[in-house]
Amino acid sequence: MASPSLIPAHFIVFFVVSRLMSILGNLRPSKNSLPCEIDSLGVHAKLRYDLDAIGLASTDYGNIVHEIPSAVLYPTSIDDIIELIKFSNECPLPFNVAARGHGHSVRGQAMAHDGVVVNMLSLKKHYKNGNGIRVSTSGNYADVGGEQLWIDVLNATLEHGLAPLSWTDYLYLTVGGTLSNAGFSGQTFLYGPQISNVLELDVITGKGDFMTCSKDQNSELFYAVLGGLGLFGIITRARIVLAKAPKRVKWVRMIYSDFSIFTRDQEHLISTKGLEYLEGSLLMDYTPANNWRSSFFSPSNESQIISLLKKHGILYCLDVVKYYDDETTNSVDKDVQMLQEGLNFIPGFTFMRDETYVDFLNRVRRGEITLKSKGLWDVPNPWLNLLVPKSRILDFNAGVFVDIIHRQKKTTGPLLVFPLTKIVWDDKMSAVVPDEDIFYSVGLLHSGSFNDWQDLDNQNNEILEFCDRAGIKMKQYLPHYKSKEEWIKHFGPKWNTFQERKAQFDPRMILSPGQNIFNYV
Ligand code: FAD
């Protein structure tokens, strides 16, 4: 595969634009597929059919799938969304509706072929009071619009010295978008995914009903929507748990050459008290030690790592973070030292950074800015995210990391692997995880070019086939399947409940067609 970094930025921008233009053709969104009565609705004036609106709604971070909607709604209030969904329900042949958060899906999940995409970010501009993020007087929670970006939630809550507990690695994602999947990162082993840190939701169901739900009120809707892939309703408000925010972090990276020792230490660390974040990643001898997602190593550290890579071929990085503030500033180094006691990383290969809490949480943004400046952000990103049961993670390493990825040397993107604990996930929610107490999040974050991303996707298929053959009962995160059978297998024992909830909250199957679940049923 040609490394994207060899391609000039202006060429890539030109390529993306011309490719999109060719996909959209003489862009004539098939407005005809919407009933003409739509023109008499109050929201009529907020529907857009122009190239900019349609172009944006038919692309996403993945840059692989492009579905052209008939129109895009730019709502100024949640009543606009209610009116649109109710209208679709009244039509003899309802049209599809998809909420689009920040469009950071990788397989067209927020698109709506011939339907209407709701540009949720449009709501941000229309708050009469405040900015859509309200911190409670008790300080225990914030009420946040579903269209809000997590970076804005962080900044608004920090003004009160508070912050949510559970994060994603990247903060330019909407609250509604991550809660529709799960939302996890290095804090998740301790605090649970973002869907486990929600107290209450306001949701517009697929019938157009506006409902408030929680564990105690309309609980079936609450559990359906969390991890529900946008299929049951559109989240317009989430009540997110808050806690006192730390000021700074000690971020430690330790290097391993043996995967079984690496995972043993990871599992040991998540079972002990004292750290707030744990992740892991792989370094390969054919890629640079720093990548866009993490430029952790200084130039001198980097050359040390490169010589180690020459010897071992693959290295494993274990990242842990300890939060601290004024009261704990004197003890934090000692605490970090204690956490490292008994760990078996390669002697001398431990590196530490000291950062503000905000810089640490917002670390991936730095990589995004660099990639954007080189024109390398808006390229095809055929990511594969898996949750692999702990009992098979060594087989996964041998069969996938070593025998497929390292042998083929195709992917240059970040490769993540770190353990999560099932106890902090609520099984009543729609999100699906493997049936073991500990499972590993594996993120194969490939980036390709418009000519060769298919090569990486073929490798993804090889990985999925390997897991199938080896009987590794992994689950896809941010799943995408083409057939009903695959979806039924994905949901396993949850499938019947999933279907029943769909019939209850979106009986005409209007919402989230880009997930390709009920379109095939
Ligand atoms: P969109 O892509 O716009 O939408 C995703 C789905 O949610 C669609 O089906 C859409 O219809 C639905 N949806 C959107 N808004 C709403 C709403 N208000 N109500 C109901 N449904 C809605 N995930 C993690 O868990 N951890 C990570 O660390 C992480 N890092 C990432 C880093 C990058 C650079 C990228 C591109 C993605 C990352 N993701 C991560 C994945 C990300 O969480 C999901 O792709 C998420 O859906 C993106 O949010 P979005 O606002 O862009 O959603």
Side-chain angles (χ1 to χ4, degrees):
M1 188 187 81
S3 160
S5 57
L6 299 176
I7 304 169
H10 62 272
F11 182 77
I12 292 181
V13 172
F14 169 76
F15 203 85
V16 175
V17 172
S18 49
R19 189 160 184 281
L20 197 58
M21 293 300 280
S22 78
I23 290 161
L24 298 176
N26 298 334
L27 192 80
R28 214 166 285 130
S30 43
K31 189 183 172 189
N32 292 345
S33 58
L34 297 177
C36 57
E37 293 83 359
I38 202 159
D39 291 345
S40 59
L41 295 185
V43 288
H44 160 64
K46 297 168 192 172
L47 288 167
R48 283 177 53 180
Y49 305 90
D50 57 280
L51 178 64
D52 286 349
I54 300 288
L56 182 68
S58 53
T59 194
D60 63 16
Y61 178 78
N63 261 307
I64 291 169
V65 175
H66 300 278
E67 297 290 356
I68 301 176
S70 296
V72 184
L73 175 67
Y74 281 72
T76 59
S77 75
I78 55 176
D79 288 340
D80 293 340
I81 308 174
I82 293 173
E83 188 184 14
L84 181 82
I85 295 181
K86 278 201 187 293
F87 174 69
S88 178
N89 270 279
E90 284 157 12
C91 295
L93 205 60
F95 54 88
N96 288 129
V97 176
R100 184 181 197 276
H102 208 200
H104 278 53
S105 292
V106 290
R107 301 278 172 170
Q109 284 95 336
M111 295 179 197
H113 178 76
D114 279 355
V116 179
V117 169
V118 180
N119 185 318
M120 294 298 289
L121 295 185
S122 160
L123 286 172
K124 274 168 76 82
K125 299 184 204 128
H126 296 282
Y127 279 97
K128 291 201 181 79
N129 303 305
N131 59 359
I133 302 166
R134 194 184 62 80
V135 174
S136 70
T137 45
S138 67
N140 294 338
Y141 62 81
D143 282 315
V144 172
E147 74 291 343
Q148 295 294 323
L149 297 177
W150 282 101
I151 182 69
D152 296 326
V153 177
L154 174 64
N155 288 328
T157 52
L158 278 178
E159 282 177 19
H160 302 257
L162 302 165
L165 293 163
S166 183
W167 293 100
T168 46
D169 290 351
Y170 172 68
L171 306 183
Y172 290 74
L173 307 167
T174 64
V175 169
T178 69
L179 295 184
S180 296
N181 284 295
F184 62 77
S185 179
Q187 297 87 354
T188 299
F189 78 92
L190 187 60
Y191 299 116
Q194 292 180 325
I195 50 172
S196 297
N197 286 269
V198 177
L199 302 173
E200 192 178 272
L201 296 169
D202 284 342
V203 174
I204 304 167
T205 69
K207 294 198 264 188
D209 297 330
F210 179 84
M211 292 171 76
T212 298
C213 58
S214 67
K215 284 182 183 170
D216 306 315
Q217 183 188 2
N218 297 315
S219 60
E220 198 64 32
L221 179 63
F222 182 71
Y223 292 123
V225 165
L226 294 169
L229 308 175
L231 285 153
F232 307 100
I234 297 185
I235 300 167
T236 57
R237 177 186 62 96
R239 180 165 285 182
I240 312 283
V241 177
L242 299 180
K244 183 173 178 265
K247 289 220 168 100
R248 300 191 67 85
V249 310
K250 294 283 181 188
W251 179 6
V252 181
R253 177 168 291 179
M254 296 160 275
I255 308 292
Y256 293 73
S257 58
D258 182 317
F259 187 74
S260 65
I261 298 176
F262 164 72
T263 49
R264 201 173 61 210
D265 278 0
Q266 282 192 321
E267 288 168 26
H268 159 73
L269 282 166
I270 61 164
S271 69
T272 51
K273 286 205 168 81
L275 76 158
E276 281 87 14
Y277 171 101
L278 180 144
E279 281 202 5
S281 57
L282 282 82
L283 298 176
M284 301 265 167
D285 53 4
Y286 66 95
T287 55
N290 284 322
N291 60 50
W292 66 269
R293 185 112 169 175
S294 167
S295 48
F296 190 94
F297 299 113
S298 67
S300 64
N301 295 158
E302 216 176 340
S303 55
Q304 275 180 286
I305 301 287
I306 289 167
S307 22
L308 201 62
L309 269 172
K310 277 194 187 128
K311 190 165 150 210
H312 295 285
I314 304 180
L315 293 173
Y316 305 95
C317 305
L318 200 173
D319 284 26
V320 293
V321 165
K322 177 103 195 117
Y323 296 166
Y324 72 100
D325 45 32
D326 295 343
E327 293 95 72
T328 46
T329 187
N330 292 330
S331 55
V332 66
D333 285 329
K334 181 112 192 26
D335 291 343
V336 169
Q337 229 180 342
M338 276 168 62
L339 278 171
Q340 288 188 292
E341 267 168 27
L343 299 183
N344 291 296
F345 52 89
I346 301 173
F349 280 84
T350 171
F351 307 90
M352 170 128 67
R353 285 175 72 144
D354 189 318
E355 296 205 340
T356 66
Y357 176 61
V358 177
D359 283 350
F360 168 68
L361 287 182
N362 203 17
R363 61 201 176 279
V364 176
R365 178 68 164 176
R366 299 195 278 267
E368 177 191 352
I369 291 167
T370 310
L371 285 193
K372 277 191 169 155
S373 71
K374 296 178 182 164
L376 293 175
W377 182 256
D378 296 316
V379 294
N381 294 292
W383 287 12
L384 181 64
N385 288 276
L386 303 173
L387 302 173
V388 179
K390 167 192 150 159
S391 63
R392 303 302 304 277
I393 195 66
L394 298 186
D395 300 325
F396 187 91
N397 175 55
V400 175
F401 292 142
V402 177
D403 203 37
I404 298 180
I405 295 181
H406 186 254
R407 189 171 50 78
Q408 297 184 0
K409 301 189 184 348
K410 280 182 186 165
T411 184
T412 52
L415 303 168
L416 310 179
V417 57
F418 56 95
L420 299 169
T421 48
K422 185 162 172 139
I423 196 162
V424 288
W425 297 65
D426 189 332
D427 209 34
K428 294 201 235 26
M429 294 174 183
S430 295
V432 175
V433 299
D435 195 15
E436 282 192 19
D437 292 345
I438 293 179
F439 51 90
Y440 277 78
S441 162
V442 173
L444 311 177
L445 311 186
H446 319 293
S447 303
S449 74
F450 287 98
N451 292 328
D452 66 6
W453 65 265
Q454 191 68 52
D455 238 22
L456 290 163
D457 220 27
N458 291 342
Q459 188 185 70
N460 287 338
N461 290 334
E462 207 182 315
I463 291 168
L464 295 172
E465 280 161 22
F466 163 78
C467 290
D468 233 21
R469 265 198 326 277
I472 298 177
K473 293 196 170 59
M474 54 73 189
K475 296 290 177 189
Q476 279 193 36
Y477 178 58
L478 316 172
H480 59 98
Y481 297 108
K482 291 200 167 69
S483 71
K484 175 184 174 183
E485 289 67 33
E486 287 171 304
W487 279 112
I488 293 176
K489 189 171 167 214
H490 173 77
F491 283 104
K494 288 191 175 184
W495 173 249
N496 285 343
T497 311
F498 199 77
Q499 261 188 317
E500 283 160 21
R501 286 170 171 171
K502 185 69 175 171
Q504 187 179 351
F505 300 115
D506 183 20
R508 302 206 70 193
M509 316 235 172
I510 286 170
L511 294 178
S512 220
Q515 299 284 1
N516 281 333
I517 301 186
F518 292 98
N519 319 49
Y520 285 91
V521 178

